[in-house]
Amino acid sequence: MGRREVRGAAYARRVRVLVTGSAGFIGSHVVEALAEAGHDVTGLDLRTGDDVRDDAAVDRALAGVEIVVHQAAKVGLGVDVSDLPEYTSVNAYGTAVLLAAMARHGTTRLVLASSMVVYGEGAYDCPRHGRVRPGPRDPADLAQGLYEPRCPGCGSPLTSGTISEDAPLDPRNAYATTKLAQEHLAANWARETGGTAVALRYHNVYGPRMPKDTPYSGVAAIFRSALEAGRAPKVFEDGRQRRDFVHVRDVAQANLAALSGGMPGTLTAYNIASGEPHTVGEMAAALAAERGGPDPVVTGDHRLGDVRHIVASPARAADDLGFRAGIAFADGMKEFATAPLG
């Protein structure tokens, strides 16, 4: 059975909202949720010929807009350092262009799509040193199949904990660095204009219209694409990496709830997560079972930009925004196993 869905509080009145990245995986669902709630929604998306880095396009899109929901971004961990210029251009520069235009137009409210990747590794506890922040995992350890981070003080095994929005931020790849840059730019805009900025730190989003298997896809889409092609999903490391998988329709509802969140002159961040962590291996197995196989294969491969465990506390979003995810893991995986991809 799915858990009862508790929707976030709706904005008090009908408003004109600009959604950047409106034709994308998450953005398209956000557009639908806003429209269903009665808001007047306009979109800006590179797929339809409008680039968030283009001053003229952004100026046109902002006419009469009261709230911007900024979803446009280059996603994924990237392939190698050759991706750095494009990530910086789209995510950092594009956000700067948007914020400058918002200041010119007097648009005073921003909902920003951020990401769990700004944390780096999740929260960990050492029996000797308490809460610690392990550094990047040693490539030599990974090559030997030693995947768990160790205490930076004594080298002891660590216990994975739940990360809150107040945890230190430690981006470890190009995508993560530019998502954090977006938050910093939005905070700067809020301080200088008195605007209100809300950053939604999405955890592992999945669901219908997720992009197909590319080097920039999320792991859920990679597994799903493999199964659709009759191939076994290939699970990196030992498959025991813990994540929080949150359905895209829940994420869309979080954006709706965030329209009325935050405080003027500052940026407030929220984890957007289900609150029910699962391992990557469990997710691959659930998808394979729903499609009738083939069963996942644990490869032991690894990527240096990956983190081991990251499990979120969704309490702040529940307390401040009234948002709680409503689609249970089993129900979401059953739908996603056969849902259309983007």
Side-chain angles (χ1 to χ4, degrees):
M1 292 289 292
R3 292 173 292 145
R4 181 175 63 89
E5 186 167 3
V6 181
R7 300 292 191 178
Y11 202 68
R13 58 185 176 82
R14 178 184 176 127
V15 292
R16 187 170 177 80
V17 184
L18 170 65
V19 179
T20 71
S22 56
F25 164 46
I26 298 175
S28 63
H29 286 275
V30 171
V31 167
E32 290 175 357
L34 292 170
E36 288 171 5
H39 296 298
D40 183 5
V41 187
T42 186
L44 186 150
D45 196 286
L46 187 60
R47 297 168 185 83
T48 56
D50 293 317
D51 191 335
V52 75
R53 293 168 290 185
D54 182 336
D55 281 296
V58 173
D59 273 323
R60 288 193 300 271
L62 279 171
V65 165
E66 297 177 67
I67 304 175
V68 173
V69 178
H70 184 29
Q71 303 289 324
K74 185 174 178 66
V75 300
L77 297 182
V79 177
D80 54 41
V81 293
S82 66
D83 283 323
L84 288 172
E86 185 69 5
Y87 274 100
T88 303
S89 177
V90 175
N91 297 354
Y93 178 69
T95 299
V97 169
L98 175 67
L99 293 170
M102 289 174 64
R104 291 194 301 272
H105 284 259
T107 308
T108 59
R109 185 172 285 274
L110 172 73
V111 178
L112 171 68
S114 188
S115 172
M116 67 173 192
V117 295
V118 300
Y119 296 117
E121 282 286 352
Y124 293 88
D125 294 305
C126 171
R128 178 178 175 186
H129 294 101
R131 181 59 53 96
V132 296
R133 292 288 292 171
R137 294 179 290 174
D138 188 334
D141 285 348
L142 294 172
Q144 296 177 58
L146 303 174
Y147 304 119
E148 297 292 340
R150 294 181 289 192
C151 175
C154 65
S156 296
L158 299 173
T159 300
S160 174
T162 303
I163 200 158
S164 75
E165 293 86 350
D166 297 323
L169 305 181
D170 184 19
R172 296 185 178 182
N173 54 62
Y175 175 60
T177 299
T178 56
K179 293 308 285 185
L180 182 55
Q182 288 183 319
E183 288 197 19
H184 286 318
L185 289 166
N188 181 251
W189 165 83
R191 285 193 300 270
E192 294 195 18
T193 67
T196 300
V198 175
L200 303 181
R201 292 175 179 164
Y202 302 158
H203 285 252
N204 287 72
V205 185
Y206 72 95
R209 303 175 213 155
M210 195 172 189
K212 293 179 181 178
D213 187 2
T214 76
Y216 304 96
S217 296
V219 66
I222 292 172
F223 291 164
R224 165 60 205 284
S225 295
L227 288 163
E228 193 166 32
R231 302 190 307 269
K234 293 182 178 179
V235 181
F236 280 12
E237 300 186 15
D238 57 4
R240 297 175 184 168
Q241 311 93 305
R242 296 173 73 231
R243 297 289 189 271
D244 189 305
F245 299 100
V246 58
H247 196 281
V248 67
R249 288 197 298 275
D250 280 332
V251 170
Q253 290 300 316
N255 278 269
L256 181 62
L259 295 185
S260 55
M263 296 179 61
T266 189
L267 177 141
T268 308
Y270 294 98
N271 286 325
I272 302 302
S274 73
E276 295 186 354
H278 291 270
T279 68
V280 172
E282 287 172 343
M283 189 260 284
L287 287 175
E290 291 294 342
R291 289 193 65 97
D295 291 336
V297 174
V298 177
T299 68
D301 293 338
H302 63 271
R303 299 187 299 184
L304 292 179
D306 284 342
V307 297
R308 180 60 175 172
H309 306 296
I310 181 159
V311 175
S313 168
R316 181 185 289 179
D319 292 344
D320 291 4
L321 305 178
F323 168 75
R324 294 175 179 83
I327 299 175
F329 178 80
D331 295 335
M333 289 295 142
K334 183 175 183 178
E335 177 197 27
F336 182 56
T338 56
L341 299 179

